[in-house]
Amino acid sequence: MAENLRRLVSNETLRRLQDRVDSWAKEYNTNTCDQNLNYCLELIEQVAKVQGQLFGILTIAAQEGGHNDGVETIKSRLLPWLEASFTAASMGKPVDSKVPSLQDTFDRERLKGSSPRDLQLLDSDLNTTRNQLNQVKDDLAETGKALEETKNRSAISLLAAEEEINQLKKQLKSLQAQEDARHRNLDPRSSERSSEQRSTDQRSSEQWCSEQRSAEQRNAEVISDYEKQLRNLKDEIAVLNAEKAGLQGRAARSRSPSPGHPSHSPSRSRSTSPSNKIAKIRSTSPNGSKMSSVARKAALLSRFSDAYSQARLDAQCLLRRCIDKAETVQRIIYIATVEAFHVAKMAFRHFKIRVRKTLTPSYGGSNDFENAVSEYIICHLDLYDSVSSVNDVIRAMNVNPKISFPPEVDFCLLSDFIQEICCIAFAMQSLEPPLDIAFGADGEVFNDSKYRRSYDSDFTAPLVYYHVWPALMENDCVIMKGEAVTRRGAFYLNQMFCDLIVEPIKLGFC
């Protein structure tokens, strides 16, 4: 072994290795990749030669020690180093001195095996836990005894309470018997007097209720009369303002006549159609026009509400004399309302076109042309020919397959109702923006924001069976809700209804 060690010292491989590493560190940045790799491989070869010589010296030294000498040193130094080296090589990491070794595990096991103090501590812990368990068992037994005692006490208190209740019942029965005996011993005249007093009180209360009802009816009639008078006065004021503006325009033209347009006498009556000569209308202030528009809108909404609450019911009473089925009556009134709005809108368009043609020579190219047209229409709503519109509505109802086959009733019975709806719809078109009714189709999905269900509807049904009254719209906003009837399977019911209507039509054509 000494000879091998001397050879290692004489070769001076370790000194050369250090010099080689220093020179490589100086030239590393200037060398190419291949040159650096060659340096590294040469160093690895030299280190491997040195390790081979050292392992040879290690084996010879171990053999010289015999079987027992050197074993502890190899376990404590060599084995942990080899373990750390192999694990680092397999993971691709450098050797770390902090990596746990097999020797550490062996030492820990020895320490664990040789620790009587720990065993004593464990025994003491076990004894304490056993004592605690015994205490818990004793507490449970005591609580069980306490629960049994409370149960016994509660049973005794319940029995006492039941006895008291029975005694009270007996006392109540005795008191009731005494009161019954007293009532029987009373004079029968007192009972007669009490019955007479009761009857007089009932009569007085009934009279008071009837008087209140009659007073409420009178007040309602008076209020409706006042509203009608107010409406008539507003209409008369609007007509007088229009005539005043016309007279002022005629007076202005008569003072300064032009050769192309001869003046007209002021005694001439107002024309009855927009196709005749129309006087100029002075523009009113914007605040006045806004207030008049708001007032007209409120009045029209009130008339539309009255038509739903009163005129519709009157029309139903007329139709029920001829038709027994309430569904058919409500369908007829709804279709009449829809057709009246449609015809009134068409009549308003034609009326506006005629007014435009008539006012074009006087207001051609002016900025107030549209205002003049709208003001003339507002002031001359009475020129609307509602009778022809009623005839058009009845004509459309006669060809509607939902209500005209078989012809059960003459729709001329509804002339007054149709005329009122046409007038309301025509006046609503003169507002800014105009008011219109919402489109409704049988079998559509029920919209809670547009309609309310009738009293005989199925409140869980999602589809509309038929409509009773249309909803009133301003652009896309609902102003007044309509009324609809909802049924389960509304789509199939409407299909069957249409089939029942179409079959007689086919047979009639055949």
Side-chain angles (χ1 to χ4, degrees):
M1 187 276 293
E3 292 178 359
N4 291 328
L5 187 58
R6 288 171 186 171
R7 288 176 186 173
L8 182 62
V9 173
S10 63
N11 287 331
E12 296 181 355
T13 55
L14 295 173
R15 294 177 183 176
R16 291 177 184 175
L17 184 63
Q18 184 64 36
D19 296 336
R20 193 69 174 169
V21 170
D22 292 336
S23 65
W24 184 30
K26 293 177 181 178
E27 297 175 358
Y28 182 80
N29 293 324
T30 59
N31 292 334
T32 61
C33 180
D34 293 333
Q35 290 175 354
N36 288 326
L37 292 174
N38 289 325
Y39 272 112
C40 186
L41 291 171
E42 288 176 0
L43 291 172
I44 290 168
E45 289 173 357
Q46 290 179 6
V47 170
K49 288 178 182 179
V50 172
Q51 283 183 352
Q53 292 176 3
L54 290 173
F55 275 108
I57 294 167
L58 180 65
T59 54
I60 293 168
Q63 288 174 1
E64 288 176 354
H67 292 287
N68 295 324
D69 294 338
V71 174
E72 293 296 332
T73 306
I74 290 170
K75 286 182 180 180
S76 62
R77 298 293 301 278
L78 181 62
L79 290 177
W81 180 78
L82 289 175
E83 182 186 359
S85 299
F86 280 117
T87 54
S90 62
M91 295 292 289
K93 297 179 180 179
V95 180
D96 192 0
S97 61
K98 296 180 181 179
V99 177
S101 62
L102 295 173
Q103 185 64 30
D104 295 333
T105 57
F106 293 153
D107 294 336
R108 288 174 186 173
E109 289 177 357
R110 286 177 185 176
L111 290 170
K112 287 181 181 178
S114 61
S115 58
R117 293 179 181 176
D118 295 336
L119 292 173
Q120 291 177 0
L121 292 171
L122 290 172
D123 291 333
S124 63
D125 291 336
L126 285 171
N127 292 325
T128 53
T129 53
R130 284 173 185 171
N131 293 326
Q132 289 177 358
L133 287 172
N134 292 325
Q135 289 178 0
V136 170
K137 288 179 181 178
D138 295 335
D139 294 336
L140 286 172
E142 290 178 357
T143 53
K145 292 178 182 179
L147 285 172
E148 288 179 357
E149 291 178 357
T150 53
K151 284 181 181 178
N152 294 327
R153 290 174 184 173
S154 63
I156 292 167
S157 62
L158 284 171
L159 291 172
E162 287 179 356
E163 290 178 358
E164 290 179 358
I165 289 167
N166 292 325
Q167 290 178 0
L168 291 171
K169 285 181 179 178
K170 290 177 182 179
Q171 291 177 1
L172 283 172
K173 287 180 180 178
S174 64
L175 290 171
Q176 287 178 357
Q178 290 175 4
E179 287 179 358
D180 293 336
R182 287 176 183 174
H183 285 299
R184 288 172 185 173
N185 294 326
L186 288 173
D187 190 6
R189 294 179 181 177
S190 62
S191 62
E192 291 177 358
R193 289 175 184 175
S194 63
S195 63
E196 288 177 358
Q197 288 178 357
R198 290 175 184 174
S199 62
T200 54
D201 292 337
Q202 288 179 356
R203 289 174 185 173
S204 62
S205 62
E206 288 177 356
Q207 289 178 359
W208 183 71
C209 291
S210 62
E211 288 176 358
Q212 275 193 345
R213 289 174 185 172
S214 62
E216 288 177 356
Q217 289 179 357
R218 289 171 186 171
N219 291 331
E221 290 176 357
V222 170
I223 290 168
S224 63
D225 291 337
Y226 284 151
E227 288 179 351
K228 288 179 181 178
Q229 290 177 5
L230 249 171
R231 196 180 300 160
N232 294 328
L233 288 172
K234 287 179 181 179
D235 295 338
E236 290 177 1
I237 288 168
V239 171
L240 290 172
N241 287 330
E243 290 180 354
K244 181 181 177 182
L247 290 172
Q248 288 176 354
R250 289 175 186 173
R253 285 197 301 275
S254 63
R255 289 174 185 172
S256 58
S258 60
H261 297 280
S263 61
H264 297 274
S265 63
S267 62
R268 187 177 178 179
S269 63
R270 182 169 57 88
S271 62
T272 59
S273 67
S275 60
N276 297 328
K277 186 66 179 177
I278 298 172
K280 290 186 179 181
I281 302 169
R282 290 187 180 181
S283 61
T284 57
S285 64
N287 293 326
S289 62
K290 286 180 182 177
M291 292 298 293
S292 63
S293 177
V294 171
R296 287 189 300 109
K297 182 179 177 181
L300 290 173
L301 291 176
S302 176
R303 289 178 67 185
F304 189 75
S305 179
D306 293 339
Y308 168 72
S309 60
Q310 189 61 39
R312 180 180 66 89
L313 298 178
D314 295 339
Q316 282 186 2
C317 293
L318 290 173
L319 291 175
R320 288 302 293 270
R321 297 175 184 174
C322 304
I323 302 171
D324 295 332
K325 197 173 181 182
E327 176 186 342
T328 307
V329 171
Q330 291 177 347
R331 284 179 182 270
I332 289 170
I333 292 173
Y334 175 76
I335 291 170
T337 306
V338 173
E339 293 292 340
F341 263 84
H342 177 69
V343 171
K345 286 192 291 184
M346 295 296 294
F348 183 81
R349 289 172 191 167
H350 294 304
F351 185 75
K352 192 172 184 179
I353 290 169
R354 292 198 300 271
V355 172
R356 280 173 172 275
K357 288 181 180 178
T358 307
L359 292 179
T360 300
S362 301
Y363 289 90
S366 64
N367 296 324
D368 297 333
F369 181 66
E370 295 296 333
N371 293 330
V373 171
S374 62
E375 287 177 2
Y376 181 83
I377 291 172
I378 291 167
C379 294
H380 297 82
L381 289 175
D382 55 344
L383 298 179
Y384 169 53
D385 189 5
S386 59
V387 177
S388 62
S389 295
V390 171
N391 295 329
D392 293 338
V393 171
I394 293 172
R395 197 178 299 113
M397 292 172 68
N398 286 327
V399 297
N400 193 321
K402 289 186 178 181
I403 57 174
S404 60
F405 294 99
E408 298 180 357
V409 67
D410 188 3
F411 295 131
C412 293
L413 289 173
L414 303 176
S415 297
D416 295 336
F417 173 75
I418 295 169
Q419 187 174 11
E420 176 65 16
I421 298 298
C422 287
C423 293
I424 293 171
F426 188 85
M428 283 181 176
Q429 304 308 307
S430 65
L431 296 174
E432 185 63 34
L435 303 181
D436 197 0
I437 57 174
F439 174 76
D442 295 342
E444 67 178 356
V445 178
F446 179 76
N447 191 352
D448 194 16
S449 62
K450 285 186 179 180
Y451 302 100
R452 53 177 171 269
R453 301 176 194 264
S454 60
Y455 68 95
D456 56 345
S457 297
D458 186 357
F459 285 85
T460 60
L463 300 179
V464 174
Y465 182 36
Y466 66 90
H467 295 82
V468 177
W469 190 255
L472 193 63
M473 307 285 289
E474 183 179 8
N475 292 332
D476 294 331
C477 299
V478 179
I479 297 177
M480 283 189 180
K481 283 188 177 183
E483 185 178 348
V485 179
T486 55
R487 294 276 191 278
R488 285 283 180 183
F491 179 78
Y492 298 104
L493 291 172
N494 286 315
Q495 191 67 31
M496 292 171 63
F497 183 76
C498 292
D499 293 338
L500 291 172
I501 291 169
V502 170
E503 286 299 328
I505 298 172
K506 291 181 179 178
L507 292 174
F509 280 115
C510 293

